[in-house]
Amino acid sequence: MKAFFSLKSTLRLLSVALLSLTVSACGFHLRGTYMLPDEIAKLSLTSFDQYGQLTRLVKSQFKLHGIEAVPPSATVPNLHLISESNGERTLSLYQNSRAAEYELNYSVRYSITIPNKASKTFSTKVTRTFLDNPLTALAKSVERDMIKDEMREQASRQILRQMARLTATIEALDEQELEAKLAEMEDTKAEDMPVSGTSASYNSTNTVNTEEVSTVEPGTEVGTSQP
């Protein structure tokens, strides 16, 4: 019985190892809980607020998912945090028309640039509900700030999750690049091929028919020969 479980564990380990090798061979690696493409194994981070809380949280996500943060360069993919915004709307009211429940919104706009391929802009949004209580105004103020911090942290996780979806985008860009190169090769090949009837050389011979002309002086009879 023990030998059976040992064999089963060995087969399971071999299956996991084989799956890992297959995934690595395809150009993707598991980093943290997401499968991120190799193109962003090294990534530079720029931000509208280089020392803000959101920037620090995204850097922490880099470390968590094994992404090496490097200085910005023309040859390195870049994640740029464009802006963040907070909003709220009233969901319900007390009998005295005072707001009782709010919906808090937190949005982040960012762009990802892959050298020699493309630059795309994305956005992520986090929504939470908040129940206000005028009798505990101070405690509710602290709670609101804590909720905003949690929303900001969740947004940083969602950014990494959306980056994992870049796989399809990169593959599409690679296909477009390949198709463009093939089309360029076809155009070059068509230009190099000779056009029928334009490059052939012709040896033309000009034939001049000459006729012997006899000059007859005036007063001279022209005789006709009898057959």
Side-chain angles (χ1 to χ4, degrees):
M1 191 71 176
K2 186 180 294 185
F4 173 75
F5 282 111
S6 177
L7 179 61
K8 188 175 181 180
S9 300
T10 303
L11 291 175
R12 185 178 300 173
L13 289 174
L14 288 175
S15 300
V16 172
L18 181 61
L19 179 61
S20 300
L21 289 174
T22 304
V23 170
S24 299
C26 294
F28 306 100
H29 295 282
L30 289 171
R31 298 187 178 91
T33 56
Y34 306 127
M35 184 179 293
L36 301 176
D38 285 342
E39 282 82 355
I40 57 175
K42 293 183 179 180
L43 197 63
S44 62
L45 176 63
T46 54
S47 173
F48 66 95
D49 185 1
Q50 199 64 30
Y51 302 100
Q53 185 178 1
L54 177 63
T55 305
R56 295 196 301 269
L57 289 171
V58 173
K59 287 182 178 179
S60 299
Q61 291 294 319
F62 278 16
K63 294 179 181 179
L64 180 62
H65 294 87
I67 298 176
E68 182 181 354
V70 296
S73 172
T75 59
V76 176
N78 173 259
L79 169 62
H80 177 62
L81 302 177
I82 301 173
S83 64
E84 66 175 358
S85 60
N86 291 280
E88 63 180 43
R89 69 186 184 94
T90 303
L91 296 179
S92 62
L93 301 172
Y94 289 113
Q95 292 181 352
N96 59 359
S97 300
R98 183 185 178 93
E101 187 178 12
Y102 294 95
E103 180 185 78
L104 304 180
N105 300 314
Y106 177 75
S107 301
V108 178
R109 291 184 67 248
Y110 63 97
S111 64
I112 299 176
T113 302
I114 301 177
N116 302 322
K117 290 190 177 180
S119 177
K120 289 186 174 294
T121 301
F122 302 90
S123 64
T124 186
K125 183 178 181 180
V126 181
T127 302
R128 293 284 185 87
T129 57
F130 172 73
L131 184 62
D132 195 10
N133 187 351
L135 300 179
T136 57
L138 181 59
K140 285 298 179 180
S141 177
V142 174
E143 182 183 354
R144 179 190 285 259
D145 291 340
M146 291 178 60
I147 291 176
K148 287 184 177 180
D149 291 341
E150 292 174 358
M151 294 168 66
R152 193 174 284 109
E153 184 175 358
Q154 184 176 348
S156 67
R157 292 196 300 267
Q158 290 182 181
I159 290 174
L160 267 293
R161 188 182 302 120
Q162 289 180 342
M163 288 175 61
R165 298 173 185 171
L166 282 175
T167 301
T169 303
I170 293 174
E171 288 178 351
L173 291 173
D174 289 339
E175 290 179 0
Q176 292 176 4
E177 184 179 359
L178 179 59
E179 290 177 358
K181 287 183 178 180
L182 290 175
E184 184 179 354
M185 291 173 62
E186 290 294 333
D187 293 340
T188 305
K189 184 177 179 181
E191 291 176 358
D192 293 340
M193 290 180 62
V195 180
S196 177
T198 58
S199 61
S201 60
Y202 296 95
N203 295 324
S204 59
T205 303
N206 295 326
T207 304
V208 179
N209 295 324
T210 59
E211 295 181 355
E212 185 178 352
V213 180
S214 59
T215 304
V216 180
E217 295 181 359
T220 305
E221 294 182 357
V222 179
T224 58
S225 59
Q226 296 293 331

